[in-house]
Amino acid sequence: PPDGGWGWAVVFGASISIGFPYSFPKAFTIYFKELQAVYSISYSQVAWITSILCATTYGGGPLSSILVNRYGSRPVVMLGGLLCGVGMILASFCTSILQIYICVGFITGLGFALNLQPSVIIIGKYFLKRRPIANSLAMAGSPVMLCSLAPLNQFLLDNFGWRGSFLILGAILLHCCVAGALFRPIGAATASVKTRVTEEGKAALEKKVTEDAMEMNSPMNIPMENKTEEEGGKNCCEKINQYLDFSLFKHRGFLIYMVGNVLMFLGFFAPLVFLAPYAKHTGIDEYSAAFLLSILAIVDMFSRPTTGIIANSKWMRPRIQYFFSFSIAFNGTCHLLCPLASGYTGLVIYTVFFGLAFGMVSAMLFETLMDLVGAARFTSAIGLVTIAECCTILLGPPLGGTLIDTFGDYKYMFIKCGAVMVLVGAFLFIMNYYNYRMLAKEEKERKAKEEDPESVRTENEGRNNWDKETTQGGPELEPLREEQEGLKKQVNGT
Amino acid sequence: MRVVFSAKGPGRLLQRLLLVLLLCPFLSGRSPADPTMITQDANQSQGNSLTKMQAELNESSDNTSYEPITRTVNWKTQDNSPDDLTLGHSVSTPDITTQELKQAANESLSNGTYVEYEVLLPGVSGTSVGKNITLSSATRIELSCKLDKKYPHLRGLQVTWKRGNETIRHINKTENSWSIQLMISDNSQLGNYSCTLKGEEEISAVFFLEVPKIETKEKLIVSYERDTAIMICKSSYAPISWTWYMTNGSEQITINDSLLADKYVISGISANVTQLKITKLTKEDDGVYLCEAAFELGKSKGKLKLKVLSFIVPLKPFLAIVAEVVILVTIIFLYEMYLKKKEKRAEYEREFDQIEQLKSEESNGLENSGPRHRRI
């Protein structure tokens, strides 16, 4: 992977197309009051819009994984951007709340799903050494978008009413298509281009050497034919596996990640949702409460790239899973300490730490999965993980809400979220320690088996190409190394 | 049945109970001239034995804007016939004539709601302290000014109660507090009542008696042609009636929803809230709308501004942004194709050079007729 160059443009595009799905539901709540008045519905009915939106965004994960496996990132993201825009444009003409559920909830949600996964996938294709930084910069798009979308939404609502705002938002969401256009295909596609070019070059050379005009066609055609024969002979299971890799469920690291993350999301978003109501509950006025959320977004914005830089450092990269579990536990302790915060300054301090922790976890969310599973299988992994997370993401805030309603006090919600996160952090820490030890053992066994000098040589070459510290990063390098070896053999072994 | 309406003893409580039960079906048919309509207690009253219904009425006025009022009580305007029982919960109404009810209501007026307000006088001379009191219905009110114990040097001074230039006789409630009792029954009695302590300098407290204010959405309401606009006015106390006006320049036009039933719909979500729905908007509907709440003690207005836009207005920025997106996407794709072409050309040129090199080597080799050194 290039680890730079056009990769930075891809990161910029990814930050846009990741920022929209994460910040749009939060910024959309500004329209709730207006919609409530127009359609004479209750708050819970209007909140269904964002619930359906989030559910479709995360539930559409496997679908976008399949599409990316088939067509690559770029077409999928552009289609997603188009869907988002069309959904919002249709919503501006709606005459009933049900139509808004469909337009904003399903269509735009599906568009977001097609935006989110491919953007994360393509970063994995473009970066390896600097991947944590790239990931965290792409995720940093979310707070930036939130900071700009929230006042923009208010401005649009004041000047154009809700229908005009939806129309203009639809146009703004079309920028995801622009982001998609930046996602130049790389990896397998360019490899095939290169091999084709080298083969043509070889054929030209052979033509000059043998000076036989008739033979020049055959060497070029034969390698092509071999390829098509290979693809023809696949049965049903392999075909499904080609689109969505279910063998991941046997992957130890993947299972650890999935269990940990699914549980973590139970307590991840709830404090964010209830921060402003809690502040108002303790007697702080509306504007200061809203300002707390802005503080959170700004701290988040800076915490994500910083986390990326730390995670990318020589010392942290091999132990990135520990860093991730530490940040989750840190998040949990923040929530546990929140009820002790008194007054506005206490809440501000809590918000700053919350923003830090939130950014840390978000920045490394996908990086750790890539690290565990490897870039090749990441496409399917992310689809499966998001659909599993979908349930707990949706359950988290309502669960917190019921806790608040039954006990009448916000502190139980904070305690519950904090406890869940601390436990998950500890769980991930222990399990990853176990995982690392197993991986090290497997590595030793593999080395002991392969005493063939040629493979040792290629392995040494491979190791010299990447920095030594990255070899400890787990099995993520295996598929890449194999790809590279395969390419080398093709080029050298004629 | 007469026994029920005796004003003495425990009957007072029972009377209030039954009164509310009986008055409810008649609320919808009342004219504003009837002074005994609302016996709803003010928030600060000592009505601790309220019925469930009255509690709910109070509750609705306490509701903040977080939760919308989804109760099924519909308070229609004065045009509707009193036969409509517009309550959501089933209340059995005994058969009582209007005459008896009026009598009962009159009696309740004499023993109506009684509220006390007290204000602490500041010790610093030359200052004034104020208190806002909102009254929605006829009440007996007692206003008192109290001197804090920590200002003993001001003891012994006399206090005068005034309204405007007119002095009101007061009573000395205690050594350090003075109060006046008023019966507020119409608009002319509202205003500013002040108690002044005359010493070297004046220390005074003012009570502002006024009708409840109307809450409306402060910002502009934006809507589109052929769309529907909804305007809501809220009050903290339930008024006798709501009226909507539209101002066209300087004249005020009453909105009669029975006349233009397909255009204007006035509905009350609850007693405290009124909603005007305007369908099939046109440019002429643009302007300022007033919702007026009539209370026993006066009227209160709320202002709402409606702006009607044509659909072209948001369409322009929309098209601009779409054009920008299309241009950006085209630029990115063109740039990519240009780079690819450059790359291909570079590749072919490189191979062409290699082939040229081989050719020259071959020709050199043939000339030398020696062992060939392949240089790749």
Side-chain angles (χ1 to χ4, degrees):
Chain A
D3 267 310
W6 187 249
W8 296 119
V10 170
V11 166
F12 177 69
S15 70
I16 296 178
S17 74
I18 290 178
F20 273 125
Y22 279 129
S23 58
F24 192 75
K26 292 175 207 154
F28 192 75
T29 53
I30 292 178
Y31 295 109
F32 277 4
K33 267 206 178 144
E34 190 79 14
L35 289 171
Q36 259 185 277
V38 170
Y39 290 114
S40 310
I41 47 176
S42 69
Y43 181 78
S44 56
Q45 276 179 298
V46 87
W48 268 105
I49 299 178
T50 40
S51 303
I52 297 178
L53 187 66
C54 284
T56 332
T57 308
Y58 292 113
L63 175 69
S64 62
S65 294
I66 295 173
L67 287 173
V68 171
N69 268 333
R70 183 87 173 77
Y71 298 110
S73 283
R74 177 187 264 174
V76 178
V77 176
M78 296 194 74
L79 178 67
L82 213 65
L83 267 179
C84 296
V86 164
M88 286 308 285
I89 295 171
L90 284 176
S92 73
F93 294 103
C94 283
T95 50
S96 80
I97 192 71
L98 192 65
Q99 292 174 2
I100 292 200
Y101 286 156
I102 297 174
C103 291
V104 179
F106 280 119
I107 301 182
T108 313
L110 196 63
F112 280 150
L114 295 178
N115 266 330
L116 187 57
Q117 268 82 309
S119 324
V120 185
I121 291 168
I122 201 153
I123 293 179
K125 292 203 181 136
Y126 264 89
F127 286 90
L128 182 63
K129 270 196 286 180
R130 302 223 196 110
R131 201 174 55 198
I133 297 183
N135 257 320
S136 54
L137 278 176
M139 298 294 282
S142 166
V144 170
M145 282 283 148
L146 183 63
C147 275
S148 40
L149 262 186
L152 181 72
N153 272 358
Q154 191 62 50
F155 169 77
L156 285 175
L157 184 62
D158 290 339
N159 284 318
F160 296 105
W162 67 273
R163 284 194 199 269
S165 312
F166 280 9
L167 193 68
I168 296 180
L169 273 179
I172 292 176
L173 285 177
L174 281 177
H175 282 94
C176 292
C177 288
V178 178
L182 287 169
F183 292 165
R184 215 182 278 169
I186 195 176
T190 50
S192 67
V193 166
K194 273 200 182 133
T195 48
R196 256 220 344 247
V197 168
T198 49
E199 280 171 16
E200 281 174 45
K202 269 186 274 166
L205 282 171
E206 284 178 30
K207 170 185 164 189
K208 298 300 169 204
V209 169
T210 59
E211 287 186 47
D212 192 345
M214 298 307 290
E215 284 178 22
M216 94 177 141
N217 288 324
S218 33
M220 229 174 21
N221 287 336
I222 290 171
M224 299 301 210
E225 275 179 44
N226 281 342
K227 261 200 200 147
T228 47
E229 268 178 38
E230 261 183 282
E231 278 172 33
K234 283 201 172 141
N235 65 357
C236 177
C237 274
E238 281 183 28
K239 249 197 188 155
I240 294 179
N241 257 7
Q242 186 196 18
Y243 291 138
L244 201 65
D245 196 0
F246 281 106
S247 69
L248 276 166
F249 283 110
K250 291 190 223 146
H251 192 283
R252 194 177 43 244
F254 176 73
L255 285 173
I256 296 172
Y257 180 84
M258 189 142 111
V259 170
N261 273 47
V262 161
L263 288 173
M264 175 190 78
F265 276 111
L266 268 178
F268 193 56
F269 283 119
L272 193 66
V273 170
F274 290 110
L275 183 63
Y278 175 62
K280 287 189 208 146
H281 178 79
T282 52
I284 300 173
D285 64 287
E286 255 193 67
Y287 292 108
S288 312
F291 188 58
L292 279 178
L293 284 173
S294 317
I295 298 176
L296 195 118
I298 294 174
V299 173
D300 191 10
M301 214 189 303
F302 289 109
S303 133
R304 292 192 196 199
T306 327
T307 316
I309 295 174
I310 298 176
N312 203 39
S313 65
K314 218 163 64 153
W315 174 70
M316 195 52 98
R317 186 87 190 265
R319 303 184 190 83
I320 199 170
Q321 303 293 336
Y322 295 141
F323 192 35
F324 186 53
S325 33
F326 162 73
S327 51
I328 296 180
F330 176 53
N331 213 344
T333 37
C334 274
H335 297 321
L336 285 174
L337 293 175
C338 178
L340 299 172
S342 54
Y344 191 58
T345 35
L347 270 182
V348 168
I349 296 175
Y350 164 74
T351 315
V352 167
F353 279 109
F354 183 24
L356 260 170
F358 194 78
M360 280 163 75
V361 175
S362 303
M364 286 196 288
L365 203 57
F366 295 119
E367 171 58 34
T368 41
L369 183 60
M370 274 191 219
D371 185 64
L372 283 168
V373 159
R377 298 162 94 186
F378 180 69
T379 320
S380 319
I382 193 172
L384 295 169
V385 160
T386 44
I387 200 172
E389 285 170 0
C390 176
C391 314
T392 44
I393 289 178
L394 287 174
L395 275 178
L399 197 66
T402 41
L403 271 175
I404 295 172
D405 288 336
T406 38
F407 291 107
D409 195 353
Y410 281 84
K411 72 172 183 198
Y412 293 105
M413 188 265 309
F414 283 111
I415 291 175
K416 157 235 166 194
C417 294
V420 165
M421 307 270 289
V422 168
L423 283 171
V424 167
F427 167 76
L428 280 176
F429 193 86
I430 298 170
M431 294 307 287
N432 276 309
Y433 175 67
Y434 166 70
N435 191 33
Y436 275 146
R437 285 204 18 208
M438 296 294 287
L439 283 173
K441 231 196 286 176
E442 283 171 9
E443 181 82 9
K444 263 190 240 167
E445 286 170 17
R446 205 169 58 90
K447 267 190 277 179
K449 276 189 204 162
E450 290 172 7
E451 289 179 323
D452 192 1
E454 189 195 15
S455 51
V456 167
R457 199 192 345 124
T458 49
E459 254 182 63
N460 281 335
E461 275 187 48
R463 211 167 283 155
N464 288 335
N465 284 339
W466 315 113
D467 288 339
K468 273 229 165 110
E469 55 269 17
T470 58
T471 55
Q472 288 185 42
E476 44 122 356
L477 289 180
E478 313 285 25
L480 287 168
R481 233 185 278 156
E482 285 168 9
E483 269 183 42
Q484 219 219 5
E485 283 177 46
L487 262 174
K488 273 193 196 163
K489 281 189 184 144
Q490 244 185 327
V491 172
N492 292 336
T494 31
Chain B
M1 271 201 259
R2 249 346 237 135
V3 181
V4 175
F5 300 110
S6 80
K8 296 192 182 115
R12 196 191 195 182
L13 200 70
L14 207 61
Q15 176 195 346
R16 246 196 228 154
L17 219 88
L18 275 163
L19 214 60
V20 175
L21 281 171
L22 296 174
L23 275 175
C24 286
F26 290 86
L27 278 171
S28 49
R30 285 297 191 178
S31 59
D34 206 312
T36 60
M37 252 298 300
I38 307 291
T39 53
Q40 185 184 356
D41 294 331
N43 282 346
Q44 291 155 326
S45 78
Q46 50 272 55
N48 44 15
S49 54
L50 296 169
T51 61
K52 179 167 169 247
M53 210 177 314
Q54 200 164 25
E56 281 192 32
L57 282 171
N58 272 340
E59 209 188 319
S60 71
S61 62
D62 288 341
N63 263 348
T64 57
S65 53
Y66 292 139
E67 274 178 315
I69 301 157
T70 50
R71 288 162 50 238
T72 49
V73 179
N74 284 320
W75 304 91
K76 297 215 183 119
T77 61
Q78 52 207 94
D79 300 334
N80 293 341
S81 59
D83 292 334
D84 295 328
L85 188 65
T86 53
L87 286 173
H89 20 266
S90 57
V91 174
S92 58
T93 57
D95 203 1
I96 300 251
T97 63
T98 330
Q99 184 59 24
E100 278 179 318
L101 210 63
K102 268 202 181 139
Q103 261 183 319
N106 273 331
E107 289 193 356
S108 88
L109 183 64
S110 55
N111 302 327
T113 51
Y114 180 78
V115 204
E116 296 176 5
Y117 291 98
E118 189 173 83
V119 126
L120 275 174
L121 283 170
V124 188
S125 45
T127 55
S128 175
V129 144
K131 193 177 180 78
N132 285 347
I133 302 169
T134 42
L135 297 169
S136 62
S137 57
T139 43
R140 272 179 52 208
I141 189 167
E142 180 183 285
L143 304 169
S144 51
C145 285
K146 185 172 175 177
L147 192 62
D148 206 346
K149 287 199 186 82
K150 49 183 180 177
Y151 307 116
H153 59 281
L154 296 167
R155 240 186 266 169
L157 294 172
Q158 266 310 308
V159 149
T160 34
W161 277 93
K162 271 194 186 171
R163 181 179 170 229
N165 286 329
E166 178 196 320
T167 313
I168 307 168
R169 255 189 50 199
H170 65 270
I171 52 172
N172 285 7
K173 229 169 61 171
T174 69
E175 196 186 270
N176 286 329
S177 71
W178 306 265
S179 64
I180 52 171
Q181 287 189 351
L182 302 162
M183 180 67 225
I184 312 283
S185 55
D186 67 69
N187 198 18
S188 57
Q189 291 170 323
L190 294 171
N192 299 349
Y193 291 83
S194 62
C195 73
T196 329
L197 192 74
K198 271 206 167 66
E200 298 129 15
E201 291 192 40
E202 281 189 11
I203 302 170
S204 62
V206 190
F207 292 89
F208 302 99
L209 265 60
E210 53 200 10
V211 280
K213 289 214 169 45
I214 310 280
E215 294 165 23
T216 60
K217 187 178 170 201
E218 302 275 325
K219 293 193 222 163
L220 207 59
I221 299 177
V222 178
S223 200
Y224 291 93
E225 288 173 1
R226 294 189 300 272
D227 195 11
T228 311
I230 294 190
M231 294 192 269
I232 296 177
C233 281
K234 242 187 259 191
S235 158
S236 36
Y237 297 89
I240 303 168
S241 69
W242 289 97
T243 326
W244 284 90
Y245 298 101
M246 182 185 160
T247 52
N248 219 346
S250 55
E251 48 174 271
Q252 263 189 18
I253 313 163
T254 317
I255 295 176
N256 197 341
D257 64 336
S258 50
L259 199 62
L260 300 156
D262 59 339
K263 174 100 173 156
Y264 297 107
V265 176
I266 300 177
S267 57
I269 306 166
S270 69
N272 297 4
V273 181
T274 183
Q275 174 181 294
L276 172 68
K277 192 189 307 197
I278 313 177
T279 51
K280 294 182 235 162
L281 287 167
T282 59
K283 278 277 183 200
E284 281 102 41
D285 294 318
D286 194 310
V288 177
Y289 286 79
L290 298 165
C291 61
E292 192 178 71
F295 295 97
E296 239 184 82
L297 300 171
K299 292 187 180 178
S300 181
K301 277 196 196 162
K303 210 195 269 195
L304 285 157
K305 268 190 269 187
L306 177 69
K307 190 165 166 158
V308 181
L309 300 169
S310 80
F311 211 74
I312 302 175
V313 175
L315 203 66
K316 283 187 263 183
F318 170 74
L319 289 173
I321 299 176
V322 170
E324 175 219 340
V325 167
V326 168
I327 290 173
L328 281 174
V329 172
T330 342
I331 291 177
I332 294 172
F333 274 127
L334 285 174
Y335 180 63
E336 192 173 316
M337 287 201 309
Y338 163 74
L339 278 181
K340 266 203 194 135
K341 276 195 200 147
K342 228 173 59 170
E343 206 181 279
K344 270 195 188 156
R345 232 184 297 142
E347 282 279 344
Y348 281 128
E349 277 177 19
R350 230 186 305 142
E351 281 165 23
F352 195 67
D353 288 337
Q354 280 182 334
I355 293 162
E356 288 288 316
Q357 241 181 3
L358 280 172
K359 267 194 189 161
S360 60
E361 277 177 28
E362 276 183 34
S363 53
N364 282 340
L366 278 170
E367 286 177 6
N368 293 337
S369 68
R372 248 188 264 162
H373 297 283
R374 217 181 242 181
R375 233 189 288 151
I376 292 175

